[in-house]
Amino acid sequence: MSVRFSLIGRIAALLSLLLVVTVGAGALLGRALEPWWLAWSLPLLVTLPLLWFGLHRLLAPMVDTIHALADSAESFKDKDFSVSITSDRADELGALVSAHNELGDVFRQERQTLFQRELLLDTVIQTTDISLVLTNSNGKIVYSNAAGRQLLNQGRPINGLSFDELLKSMPRAFVDAVAHDADGLFTFDEDDPQTYHLSINEFALNAQPHKLFLFKQLTQELGRQEVATWKKVIRVISHELNNSLAPISSLAHSGRMLQGNGNTDDRLDTIFATIEDRSSHLKNFIESYAKFARLPTPQLAPVDWPSFLVRLQQTVPFTMAEELPDIDCQADATQFEQVLINLLKNAHESGSDADKIVLDVEVRGDRVLFTVSDAGGGLSDEVLQSALLPFYSTKKTGTGLGLPLCREIVEAHGGRLSLHNIEPPGLQVIVAMPNAKI
Protein backbone atom coordinates (compact mmCIF):
# COMPACT_ATOMS: atom_id res chain seq x y z
CA MET A 1 0.00 0.00 0.00
CA SER A 2 1.42 3.39 -0.96
CA VAL A 3 2.19 5.92 1.81
CA ARG A 4 -0.30 8.45 0.48
CA PHE A 5 -3.20 6.08 1.23
CA SER A 6 -2.02 5.05 4.70
CA LEU A 7 -3.52 6.48 7.88
CA ILE A 8 -0.21 7.98 8.93
CA GLY A 9 0.23 9.51 5.47
CA ARG A 10 -3.19 11.14 5.52
CA ILE A 11 -2.70 12.65 8.98
CA ALA A 12 0.81 13.81 8.09
CA ALA A 13 -0.46 15.43 4.88
CA LEU A 14 -3.21 17.29 6.78
CA LEU A 15 -0.82 18.56 9.44
CA SER A 16 1.80 19.54 6.85
CA LEU A 17 -0.75 21.49 4.84
CA LEU A 18 -2.03 23.39 7.88
CA LEU A 19 1.53 24.06 9.02
CA VAL A 20 2.49 25.52 5.62
CA VAL A 21 -0.66 27.67 5.59
CA THR A 22 -0.04 28.89 9.15
CA VAL A 23 3.62 29.71 8.56
CA GLY A 24 2.90 31.41 5.25
CA ALA A 25 0.04 33.49 6.64
CA GLY A 26 2.09 34.43 9.70
CA ALA A 27 5.00 35.57 7.57
CA LEU A 28 2.80 37.74 5.34
CA LEU A 29 0.92 39.29 8.24
CA GLY A 30 4.17 39.93 10.11
CA ARG A 31 5.19 42.46 7.49
CA ALA A 32 1.98 44.43 7.83
CA LEU A 33 1.05 44.10 11.53
CA GLU A 34 2.75 44.98 14.75
CA PRO A 35 3.48 43.53 17.21
CA TRP A 36 4.73 40.22 15.79
CA TRP A 37 2.74 37.97 18.15
CA LEU A 38 -0.51 39.47 16.82
CA ALA A 39 0.55 38.61 13.29
CA TRP A 40 1.05 34.94 14.26
CA SER A 41 -2.04 34.69 16.47
CA LEU A 42 -4.48 35.41 13.70
CA PRO A 43 -3.36 32.44 11.46
CA LEU A 44 -3.49 30.11 14.47
CA LEU A 45 -7.06 31.18 15.27
CA VAL A 46 -8.00 30.18 11.75
CA THR A 47 -5.98 26.97 11.37
CA LEU A 48 -6.94 25.37 14.74
CA PRO A 49 -10.66 25.08 13.81
CA LEU A 50 -9.59 23.87 10.40
CA LEU A 51 -7.37 21.27 12.10
CA TRP A 52 -10.26 20.04 14.28
CA PHE A 53 -12.62 19.91 11.29
CA GLY A 54 -10.07 18.07 9.15
CA LEU A 55 -9.28 15.50 11.84
CA HIS A 56 -12.99 14.93 12.47
CA ARG A 57 -13.65 14.35 8.77
CA LEU A 58 -10.67 12.02 8.62
CA LEU A 59 -11.24 10.03 11.82
CA ALA A 60 -15.06 9.83 11.99
CA PRO A 61 -15.33 7.04 9.34
CA MET A 62 -12.49 5.23 11.12
CA VAL A 63 -14.36 5.35 14.44
CA ASP A 64 -17.53 4.06 12.78
CA THR A 65 -15.56 1.19 11.24
CA ILE A 66 -13.95 0.36 14.59
CA HIS A 67 -17.39 0.30 16.26
CA ALA A 68 -18.64 -2.02 13.50
CA LEU A 69 -15.65 -4.32 14.05
CA ALA A 70 -16.33 -4.38 17.81
CA ASP A 71 -20.02 -5.24 17.23
CA SER A 72 -19.01 -7.97 14.80
CA ALA A 73 -16.55 -9.41 17.34
CA GLU A 74 -19.40 -9.63 19.85
CA SER A 75 -21.44 -11.52 17.25
CA PHE A 76 -18.54 -13.93 16.75
CA LYS A 77 -18.47 -14.51 20.51
CA ASP A 78 -22.17 -15.45 20.28
CA LYS A 79 -21.29 -17.85 17.40
CA ASP A 80 -23.10 -15.66 14.87
CA PHE A 81 -20.80 -15.62 11.85
CA SER A 82 -23.26 -14.09 9.39
CA VAL A 83 -22.05 -10.53 9.99
CA SER A 84 -19.80 -8.86 7.41
CA ILE A 85 -18.68 -5.23 7.09
CA THR A 86 -18.76 -3.16 3.92
CA SER A 87 -15.82 -0.83 3.40
CA ASP A 88 -14.06 0.72 0.38
CA ARG A 89 -11.17 2.10 2.39
CA ALA A 90 -7.71 1.75 0.83
CA ASP A 91 -5.72 1.95 4.07
CA GLU A 92 -4.73 -0.27 7.01
CA LEU A 93 -8.26 -0.15 8.42
CA GLY A 94 -9.63 -1.32 5.08
CA ALA A 95 -7.17 -4.24 5.16
CA LEU A 96 -8.38 -5.07 8.69
CA VAL A 97 -12.00 -5.07 7.50
CA SER A 98 -11.11 -7.38 4.61
CA ALA A 99 -9.29 -9.74 6.98
CA HIS A 100 -12.32 -9.66 9.31
CA ASN A 101 -14.68 -10.57 6.46
CA GLU A 102 -12.39 -13.40 5.33
CA LEU A 103 -12.26 -14.71 8.90
CA GLY A 104 -16.05 -14.68 9.01
CA ASP A 105 -16.15 -16.69 5.77
CA VAL A 106 -13.76 -19.24 7.27
CA PHE A 107 -15.88 -19.51 10.43
CA ARG A 108 -19.04 -19.99 8.37
CA GLN A 109 -17.42 -22.70 6.25
CA GLU A 110 -16.00 -24.44 9.33
CA ARG A 111 -19.39 -24.35 11.04
CA GLN A 112 -21.06 -25.78 7.96
CA THR A 113 -18.44 -28.53 7.74
CA LEU A 114 -18.80 -29.25 11.46
CA PHE A 115 -22.57 -29.38 11.09
CA GLN A 116 -22.27 -31.88 8.25
CA ARG A 117 -19.87 -34.00 10.31
CA GLU A 118 -22.19 -33.89 13.33
CA LEU A 119 -25.08 -34.90 11.09
CA LEU A 120 -23.09 -37.81 9.70
CA LEU A 121 -21.94 -38.86 13.17
CA ASP A 122 -25.47 -38.65 14.55
CA THR A 123 -26.76 -40.74 11.62
CA VAL A 124 -24.13 -43.39 12.30
CA ILE A 125 -24.83 -43.37 16.04
CA GLN A 126 -28.58 -43.55 15.57
CA THR A 127 -28.36 -46.51 13.18
CA THR A 128 -25.79 -48.58 15.09
CA ASP A 129 -26.99 -51.59 17.05
CA ILE A 130 -24.87 -50.59 20.07
CA SER A 131 -27.07 -48.96 22.71
CA LEU A 132 -25.63 -45.55 23.66
CA VAL A 133 -26.60 -43.44 26.67
CA LEU A 134 -24.87 -40.20 27.75
CA THR A 135 -25.56 -38.84 31.26
CA ASN A 136 -24.56 -35.61 32.98
CA SER A 137 -23.22 -35.07 36.50
CA ASN A 138 -26.78 -35.33 37.90
CA GLY A 139 -27.39 -38.71 36.32
CA LYS A 140 -29.83 -37.29 33.77
CA ILE A 141 -29.75 -38.61 30.21
CA VAL A 142 -28.69 -35.86 27.82
CA TYR A 143 -28.25 -37.98 24.69
CA SER A 144 -29.21 -41.45 23.47
CA ASN A 145 -29.54 -43.33 20.21
CA ALA A 146 -32.39 -45.42 18.84
CA ALA A 147 -30.92 -48.67 20.19
CA GLY A 148 -30.54 -47.13 23.65
CA ARG A 149 -34.13 -45.93 23.67
CA GLN A 150 -35.33 -49.34 22.53
CA LEU A 151 -33.30 -51.11 25.20
CA LEU A 152 -34.30 -48.90 28.12
CA ASN A 153 -37.76 -47.57 27.26
CA GLN A 154 -39.19 -49.60 24.36
CA GLY A 155 -38.24 -46.92 21.85
CA ARG A 156 -39.82 -43.99 23.70
CA PRO A 157 -37.80 -40.79 24.33
CA ILE A 158 -35.52 -40.92 27.37
CA ASN A 159 -33.56 -37.65 27.15
CA GLY A 160 -33.99 -35.70 30.38
CA LEU A 161 -34.98 -38.78 32.41
CA SER A 162 -33.00 -40.22 35.31
CA PHE A 163 -30.78 -43.09 34.20
CA ASP A 164 -31.04 -44.78 37.60
CA GLU A 165 -34.86 -44.64 37.47
CA LEU A 166 -34.90 -46.26 34.04
CA LEU A 167 -32.60 -49.03 35.25
CA LYS A 168 -35.12 -50.02 37.93
CA SER A 169 -37.30 -51.54 35.22
CA MET A 170 -34.39 -53.51 33.78
CA PRO A 171 -33.19 -56.98 34.87
CA ARG A 172 -31.06 -57.06 37.99
CA ALA A 173 -27.94 -57.90 35.96
CA PHE A 174 -28.18 -54.49 34.23
CA VAL A 175 -28.34 -52.65 37.55
CA ASP A 176 -25.41 -54.61 38.98
CA ALA A 177 -23.28 -54.10 35.86
CA VAL A 178 -23.80 -50.31 35.88
CA ALA A 179 -23.26 -50.12 39.66
CA HIS A 180 -19.96 -51.99 39.24
CA ASP A 181 -18.80 -48.95 37.21
CA ALA A 182 -16.35 -50.93 35.06
CA ASP A 183 -16.20 -52.49 31.62
CA GLY A 184 -17.24 -56.12 31.40
CA LEU A 185 -19.69 -58.80 30.29
CA PHE A 186 -22.97 -59.63 32.01
CA THR A 187 -25.76 -62.09 31.26
CA PHE A 188 -29.41 -62.17 32.23
CA ASP A 189 -32.26 -64.57 31.55
CA GLU A 190 -35.56 -63.60 30.04
CA ASP A 191 -37.01 -66.08 27.57
CA ASP A 192 -33.45 -66.87 26.46
CA PRO A 193 -30.11 -65.97 28.07
CA GLN A 194 -28.87 -62.60 26.80
CA THR A 195 -25.23 -61.49 27.03
CA TYR A 196 -24.12 -57.86 26.84
CA HIS A 197 -20.80 -56.05 26.99
CA LEU A 198 -20.86 -52.79 28.94
CA SER A 199 -18.31 -50.06 28.31
CA ILE A 200 -18.23 -46.96 30.56
CA ASN A 201 -16.26 -43.82 29.70
CA GLU A 202 -15.97 -40.61 31.71
CA PHE A 203 -15.08 -37.26 30.13
CA ALA A 204 -15.73 -33.54 30.41
CA LEU A 205 -18.24 -31.92 28.06
CA ASN A 206 -18.57 -28.13 28.26
CA ALA A 207 -16.40 -28.32 31.40
CA GLN A 208 -18.96 -30.61 33.07
CA PRO A 209 -18.40 -34.31 33.92
CA HIS A 210 -20.36 -36.79 31.79
CA LYS A 211 -20.57 -40.57 31.51
CA LEU A 212 -21.02 -42.54 28.31
CA PHE A 213 -22.57 -46.02 28.61
CA LEU A 214 -22.30 -48.41 25.66
CA PHE A 215 -24.29 -51.66 25.75
CA LYS A 216 -23.39 -54.14 23.01
CA GLN A 217 -25.41 -57.32 22.67
CA LEU A 218 -23.10 -60.29 22.14
CA THR A 219 -25.62 -63.14 22.35
CA GLN A 220 -25.65 -64.02 18.65
CA GLU A 221 -21.92 -63.43 18.22
CA LEU A 222 -21.07 -65.61 21.22
CA GLY A 223 -23.52 -68.22 19.97
CA ARG A 224 -21.80 -68.35 16.59
CA GLN A 225 -18.39 -68.58 18.24
CA GLU A 226 -19.61 -71.30 20.58
CA VAL A 227 -20.95 -73.34 17.66
CA ALA A 228 -17.71 -72.83 15.75
CA THR A 229 -15.70 -73.91 18.79
CA TRP A 230 -17.78 -77.04 19.32
CA LYS A 231 -17.45 -77.92 15.66
CA LYS A 232 -13.69 -77.59 15.97
CA VAL A 233 -13.69 -79.68 19.16
CA ILE A 234 -15.72 -82.38 17.45
CA ARG A 235 -13.35 -82.39 14.46
CA VAL A 236 -10.28 -82.64 16.70
CA ILE A 237 -11.76 -85.38 18.89
CA SER A 238 -13.07 -87.29 15.85
CA HIS A 239 -9.66 -87.08 14.20
CA GLU A 240 -7.91 -88.30 17.33
CA LEU A 241 -10.43 -91.10 17.93
CA ASN A 242 -10.16 -92.30 14.35
CA ASN A 243 -6.36 -92.25 14.54
CA SER A 244 -6.52 -94.54 17.55
CA LEU A 245 -9.58 -96.69 16.83
CA ALA A 246 -8.62 -97.60 13.26
CA PRO A 247 -5.33 -99.35 14.18
CA ILE A 248 -6.93 -100.85 17.30
CA SER A 249 -9.72 -102.38 15.20
CA SER A 250 -7.30 -103.64 12.55
CA LEU A 251 -4.88 -105.10 15.07
CA ALA A 252 -7.66 -106.74 17.07
CA HIS A 253 -8.91 -108.40 13.87
CA SER A 254 -5.40 -109.62 13.05
CA GLY A 255 -4.96 -111.00 16.55
CA ARG A 256 -8.28 -112.81 16.35
CA MET A 257 -7.27 -114.36 13.08
CA LEU A 258 -3.94 -115.54 14.52
CA GLN A 259 -5.57 -116.99 17.61
CA GLY A 260 -8.29 -118.68 15.52
CA ASN A 261 -5.66 -120.53 13.56
CA GLY A 262 -4.11 -121.85 16.78
CA ASN A 263 -1.00 -119.83 16.01
CA THR A 264 1.19 -118.76 18.91
CA ASP A 265 3.15 -116.34 16.75
CA ASP A 266 5.22 -113.75 18.64
CA ARG A 267 3.46 -111.10 16.61
CA LEU A 268 0.56 -111.34 19.06
CA ASP A 269 2.69 -109.61 21.71
CA THR A 270 3.42 -106.77 19.30
CA ILE A 271 -0.25 -106.48 18.34
CA PHE A 272 -1.52 -106.33 21.92
CA ALA A 273 1.30 -103.96 22.95
CA THR A 274 0.30 -101.57 20.14
CA ILE A 275 -3.35 -101.81 21.14
CA GLU A 276 -2.41 -100.99 24.74
CA ASP A 277 -0.25 -98.04 23.61
CA ARG A 278 -2.98 -96.54 21.42
CA SER A 279 -5.59 -97.04 24.14
CA SER A 280 -3.32 -95.31 26.68
CA HIS A 281 -2.77 -92.40 24.26
CA LEU A 282 -6.51 -92.07 23.72
CA LYS A 283 -7.12 -92.08 27.47
CA ASN A 284 -4.54 -89.34 28.05
CA PHE A 285 -5.98 -87.30 25.18
CA ILE A 286 -9.51 -87.40 26.61
CA GLU A 287 -8.23 -86.64 30.12
CA SER A 288 -6.42 -83.52 28.88
CA TYR A 289 -9.68 -82.15 27.47
CA ALA A 290 -11.51 -82.99 30.68
CA LYS A 291 -8.82 -81.20 32.72
CA PHE A 292 -9.23 -78.05 30.63
CA ALA A 293 -12.99 -78.11 31.20
CA ARG A 294 -12.72 -78.76 34.97
CA LEU A 295 -10.07 -76.21 35.94
CA PRO A 296 -10.73 -75.43 39.64
CA THR A 297 -10.82 -71.91 41.06
CA PRO A 298 -7.32 -70.97 42.30
CA GLN A 299 -6.85 -70.86 46.06
CA LEU A 300 -4.73 -67.74 46.54
CA ALA A 301 -2.20 -67.73 49.35
CA PRO A 302 1.21 -66.19 50.13
CA VAL A 303 4.06 -68.00 48.34
CA ASP A 304 7.65 -68.47 49.47
CA TRP A 305 8.98 -67.40 46.11
CA PRO A 306 12.71 -68.17 46.65
CA SER A 307 11.89 -71.77 47.63
CA PHE A 308 9.26 -71.97 44.88
CA LEU A 309 11.79 -71.02 42.19
CA VAL A 310 14.48 -73.35 43.55
CA ARG A 311 12.00 -76.24 43.37
CA LEU A 312 10.94 -75.17 39.89
CA GLN A 313 14.55 -75.01 38.72
CA GLN A 314 15.08 -78.60 39.89
CA THR A 315 12.09 -79.70 37.79
CA VAL A 316 12.85 -77.80 34.58
CA PRO A 317 16.31 -76.18 34.23
CA PHE A 318 16.50 -72.46 33.53
CA THR A 319 18.66 -69.41 34.28
CA MET A 320 17.53 -66.58 36.53
CA ALA A 321 18.13 -63.25 34.79
CA GLU A 322 18.63 -61.26 37.98
CA GLU A 323 18.28 -61.56 41.72
CA LEU A 324 14.71 -62.14 42.82
CA PRO A 325 13.10 -58.81 43.87
CA ASP A 326 11.02 -58.34 47.00
CA ILE A 327 7.48 -59.30 45.95
CA ASP A 328 4.26 -60.25 47.72
CA CYS A 329 2.38 -61.85 44.87
CA GLN A 330 -0.24 -64.32 46.07
CA ALA A 331 -1.04 -67.37 43.97
CA ASP A 332 -2.24 -70.94 43.93
CA ALA A 333 1.27 -72.41 44.07
CA THR A 334 0.32 -75.73 42.46
CA GLN A 335 -1.50 -74.15 39.51
CA PHE A 336 1.07 -71.41 38.99
CA GLU A 337 3.91 -73.93 39.10
CA GLN A 338 2.15 -75.85 36.33
CA VAL A 339 2.01 -72.66 34.25
CA LEU A 340 5.74 -72.01 34.54
CA ILE A 341 6.58 -75.71 33.96
CA ASN A 342 4.57 -75.67 30.72
CA LEU A 343 6.20 -72.42 29.56
CA LEU A 344 9.71 -73.64 30.38
CA LYS A 345 9.10 -77.01 28.69
CA ASN A 346 7.90 -75.19 25.58
CA ALA A 347 11.11 -73.14 25.68
CA HIS A 348 13.18 -76.34 25.79
CA GLU A 349 11.14 -77.84 22.93
CA SER A 350 11.69 -74.70 20.79
CA GLY A 351 15.23 -75.82 19.97
CA SER A 352 16.83 -73.15 22.14
CA ASP A 353 20.08 -73.88 23.95
CA ALA A 354 19.35 -74.72 27.58
CA ASP A 355 21.62 -71.97 28.89
CA LYS A 356 19.64 -69.36 26.91
CA ILE A 357 16.31 -70.23 28.57
CA VAL A 358 15.89 -67.43 31.10
CA LEU A 359 13.29 -66.61 33.75
CA ASP A 360 13.16 -62.97 34.79
CA VAL A 361 11.03 -61.69 37.70
CA GLU A 362 10.42 -57.94 37.74
CA VAL A 363 8.16 -55.58 39.68
CA ARG A 364 6.54 -53.00 37.42
CA GLY A 365 3.99 -50.75 39.09
CA ASP A 366 1.21 -52.85 40.59
CA ARG A 367 2.27 -55.94 38.60
CA VAL A 368 4.86 -58.66 38.96
CA LEU A 369 6.16 -59.82 35.58
CA PHE A 370 7.36 -63.42 35.22
CA THR A 371 9.11 -63.49 31.82
CA VAL A 372 10.28 -66.72 30.17
CA SER A 373 12.64 -66.11 27.23
CA ASP A 374 14.32 -68.51 24.81
CA ALA A 375 16.42 -68.37 21.65
CA GLY A 376 14.45 -70.89 19.63
CA GLY A 377 13.71 -68.69 16.63
CA GLY A 378 10.32 -67.31 17.72
CA LEU A 379 6.95 -67.87 16.06
CA SER A 380 5.45 -66.81 12.75
CA ASP A 381 2.79 -64.09 12.81
CA GLU A 382 0.05 -66.64 12.11
CA VAL A 383 1.14 -68.96 14.94
CA LEU A 384 1.67 -66.01 17.30
CA GLN A 385 -1.92 -64.85 16.78
CA SER A 386 -3.42 -68.34 17.25
CA ALA A 387 -1.13 -69.84 19.89
CA LEU A 388 -3.45 -69.00 22.80
CA LEU A 389 -6.58 -70.38 21.12
CA PRO A 390 -7.87 -73.72 22.43
CA PHE A 391 -7.12 -76.77 20.24
CA TYR A 392 -4.55 -74.90 18.11
CA SER A 393 -1.23 -76.75 17.96
CA THR A 394 1.78 -76.98 15.63
CA LYS A 395 2.92 -80.24 17.20
CA LYS A 396 1.94 -83.52 15.57
CA THR A 397 0.95 -85.04 18.92
CA GLY A 398 -0.17 -81.80 20.57
CA THR A 399 -3.68 -81.25 21.93
CA GLY A 400 -3.58 -77.46 21.57
CA LEU A 401 -4.46 -76.99 25.26
CA GLY A 402 -1.09 -76.22 26.88
CA LEU A 403 -0.93 -72.45 26.37
CA PRO A 404 -4.72 -71.94 26.62
CA LEU A 405 -4.65 -73.78 29.96
CA CYS A 406 -1.80 -71.52 31.12
CA ARG A 407 -3.74 -68.43 30.08
CA GLU A 408 -6.87 -69.73 31.83
CA ILE A 409 -4.94 -70.20 35.08
CA VAL A 410 -3.20 -66.82 34.85
CA GLU A 411 -6.44 -64.93 34.13
CA ALA A 412 -8.15 -66.76 37.02
CA HIS A 413 -5.41 -65.24 39.20
CA GLY A 414 -6.29 -61.76 37.88
CA GLY A 415 -3.23 -61.71 35.63
CA ARG A 416 -2.47 -61.62 31.93
CA LEU A 417 -0.37 -63.83 29.63
CA SER A 418 1.13 -62.55 26.38
CA LEU A 419 3.58 -63.80 23.71
CA HIS A 420 6.20 -61.68 21.92
CA ASN A 421 8.94 -62.40 19.39
CA ILE A 422 12.32 -60.98 20.44
CA GLU A 423 15.75 -60.34 18.94
CA PRO A 424 17.98 -62.30 18.61
CA PRO A 425 15.29 -64.64 17.23
CA GLY A 426 13.39 -66.14 20.11
CA LEU A 427 10.13 -66.07 22.05
CA GLN A 428 9.26 -64.17 25.20
CA VAL A 429 6.24 -65.18 27.29
CA ILE A 430 5.20 -62.59 29.87
CA VAL A 431 2.95 -63.50 32.81
CA ALA A 432 1.78 -60.29 34.55
CA MET A 433 0.43 -61.01 38.04
CA PRO A 434 -1.06 -58.61 40.63
CA ASN A 435 1.38 -57.53 43.34
CA ALA A 436 -0.19 -57.47 46.80
CA LYS A 437 2.38 -54.93 48.07
CA ILE A 438 0.88 -52.16 45.93
Side-chain angles (χ1 to χ4, degrees):
M1 182 183 297
S2 61
V3 175
R4 65 190 184 89
F5 290 114
S6 67
L7 293 175
I8 295 177
R10 292 183 180 187
I11 295 175
L14 175 63
L15 293 177
S16 299
L17 176 63
L18 292 176
L19 179 62
V20 169
V21 171
T22 302
V23 171
L28 292 175
L29 292 176
R31 296 177 180 179
L33 295 177
E34 292 291 343
W36 66 268
W37 57 266
L38 180 62
W40 286 97
S41 298
L42 291 175
L44 288 175
L45 290 175
V46 175
T47 55
L48 286 177
L50 290 176
L51 176 62
W52 180 90
F53 177 76
L55 289 176
H56 180 269
R57 288 292 303 270
L58 180 63
L59 297 179
M62 296 172 51
V63 173
D64 293 339
T65 303
I66 292 172
H67 287 163
L69 287 170
D71 293 340
S72 181
E74 290 295 326
S75 299
F76 283 2
K77 287 172 58 177
D78 296 333
K79 298 182 180 181
D80 178 9
F81 307 125
S82 62
V83 178
S84 61
I85 301 174
T86 302
S87 175
D88 57 357
R89 301 183 64 90
D91 54 16
E92 293 88 348
L93 198 58
L96 178 61
V97 170
S98 298
H100 166 274
N101 291 336
E102 291 175 2
L103 181 62
D105 292 338
V106 171
F107 283 158
R108 283 192 292 273
Q109 292 173 3
E110 288 293 329
R111 184 172 63 178
Q112 183 66 21
T113 301
L114 182 61
F115 174 76
Q116 294 295 333
R117 290 177 180 175
E118 289 179 348
L119 183 62
L120 175 60
L121 180 60
D122 185 67
T123 302
V124 172
I125 291 175
Q126 293 298 330
T127 55
T128 183
D129 57 355
I130 299 177
S131 302
L132 181 149
V133 177
L134 179 65
T135 63
N136 60 16
S137 57
N138 297 322
K140 300 291 185 180
I141 298 174
V142 296
Y143 184 80
S144 61
N145 66 351
R149 294 190 292 272
Q150 184 63 40
L151 176 67
L152 296 175
N153 204 25
Q154 299 180 347
R156 295 188 293 270
I158 58 176
N159 289 0
L161 301 181
S162 169
F163 187 45
D164 291 337
E165 289 297 323
L166 282 177
L167 286 176
K168 291 181 179 179
S169 62
M170 301 298 292
R172 183 66 189 178
F174 267 84
V175 181
D176 293 341
V178 173
H180 188 57
D181 200 27
D183 296 359
L185 294 174
F186 64 93
T187 302
F188 66 95
D189 291 330
E190 290 185 337
D191 296 332
D192 295 314
Q194 301 289 319
T195 301
Y196 280 82
H197 178 267
L198 170 61
S199 176
I200 303 176
N201 296 280
E202 297 184 10
F203 58 93
L205 184 63
N206 295 329
Q208 297 296 321
H210 287 71
K211 274 190 177 182
L212 179 65
F213 298 86
L214 298 173
F215 298 90
K216 182 177 181 181
Q217 190 179 40
L218 299 177
T219 307
Q220 293 183 350
E221 182 177 345
L222 291 176
R224 287 193 297 267
Q225 292 182 355
E226 184 178 5
V227 170
T229 301
W230 277 112
K231 287 181 178 180
K232 188 171 184 179
V233 171
I234 292 171
R235 287 196 301 269
V236 172
I237 293 178
S238 297
H239 177 74
E240 200 67 28
L241 288 174
N242 287 332
N243 284 347
S244 295
L245 291 178
I248 289 175
S249 176
S250 176
L251 291 171
H253 178 71
S254 299
R256 189 181 303 112
M257 293 293 293
L258 290 172
Q259 282 186 327
N261 294 331
N263 194 336
T264 57
D265 196 317
D266 291 340
R267 286 179 295 174
L268 283 174
D269 292 336
T270 303
I271 289 173
F272 290 126
T274 304
I275 291 175
E276 182 180 7
D277 177 68
R278 296 308 303 172
S279 298
S280 176
H281 170 77
L282 192 58
K283 177 184 176 183
N284 293 333
F285 175 79
I286 297 299
E287 285 181 349
S288 66
Y289 276 79
K291 182 179 180 180
F292 182 73
R294 296 196 306 265
L295 180 66
T297 302
Q299 302 301 312
L300 302 182
V303 178
D304 182 0
W305 289 105
S307 300
F308 175 90
L309 293 176
V310 169
R311 186 172 64 253
L312 179 66
Q313 203 165 25
Q314 293 171 350
T315 305
V316 186
F318 63 87
T319 302
M320 282 294 295
E322 297 178 358
E323 184 178 350
L324 182 66
D326 181 23
I327 60 176
D328 190 17
C329 176
Q330 296 190 351
D332 186 316
T334 301
Q335 289 189 12
F336 196 69
E337 183 180 36
Q338 187 61 48
V339 170
L340 293 180
I341 287 175
N342 284 346
L343 298 181
L344 290 167
K345 282 186 175 180
N346 285 346
H348 280 279
E349 293 172 359
S350 69
S352 172
D353 293 339
D355 60 349
K356 293 185 179 179
I357 296 175
V358 179
L359 174 61
D360 181 31
V361 183
E362 175 191 0
V363 177
R364 188 177 298 174
D366 60 350
R367 294 276 164 171
V368 180
L369 305 185
F370 296 82
T371 304
V372 177
S373 304
D374 63 54
L379 302 176
S380 66
D381 292 341
E382 179 183 356
V383 174
L384 196 63
Q385 293 176 0
S386 304
L388 295 176
L389 297 178
F391 318 120
Y392 180 86
S393 177
T394 58
K395 303 175 184 177
K396 292 183 179 180
T397 59
T399 62
L401 291 175
L403 284 175
L405 183 61
C406 291
R407 184 179 68 172
E408 188 77 11
I409 293 173
V410 171
E411 291 181 352
H413 280 72
R416 181 180 177 86
L417 186 147
S418 57
L419 309 177
H420 310 274
N421 283 323
I422 57 175
E423 293 293 340
L427 184 69
Q428 186 179 76
V429 185
I430 301 176
V431 177
M433 297 282 285
N435 189 13
K437 280 188 176 295
I438 302 300

